Amino acid sequence: MNTETKKSAWTVVCAVATVVLGPAAVTASALDQANKAPMHHAVRAEQTQAYIPSDSTGRRRADV
């Protein structure tokens, strides 16, 4: 193997490593930043209570 072939082989190896490991490194960095961020407390919306009629037949009364 001559010097030029060795250089091009290393170029290919480095390019493949960048393509394979690059997204993993970016994801790991983003996850690390997210883990260092302060916790956000979820805002609780007021829960509305549903009106449950006492008459279980489902018919409306005529005097309403």
Side-chain angles (χ1 to χ4, degrees):
M1 268 182 144
N2 63 17
T3 306
E4 190 63 36
T5 306
K6 288 180 185 178
K7 285 183 183 178
S8 64
W10 275 110
T11 303
V12 170
V13 169
C14 290
V16 169
T18 301
V19 169
V20 172
L21 299 177
V26 170
T27 302
S29 176
L31 289 174
D32 189 40
Q33 287 179 358
N35 286 337
K36 289 180 183 177
M39 293 292 290
H40 292 286
H41 296 290
V43 177
R44 292 176 108 185
E46 290 185 27
Q47 294 180 350
T48 57
Q49 297 294 325
Y51 171 72
I52 301 172
S54 60
D55 182 15
S56 63
T57 61
R59 290 185 276 168
R60 295 182 65 186
R61 293 186 304 185
D63 63 334
V64 176

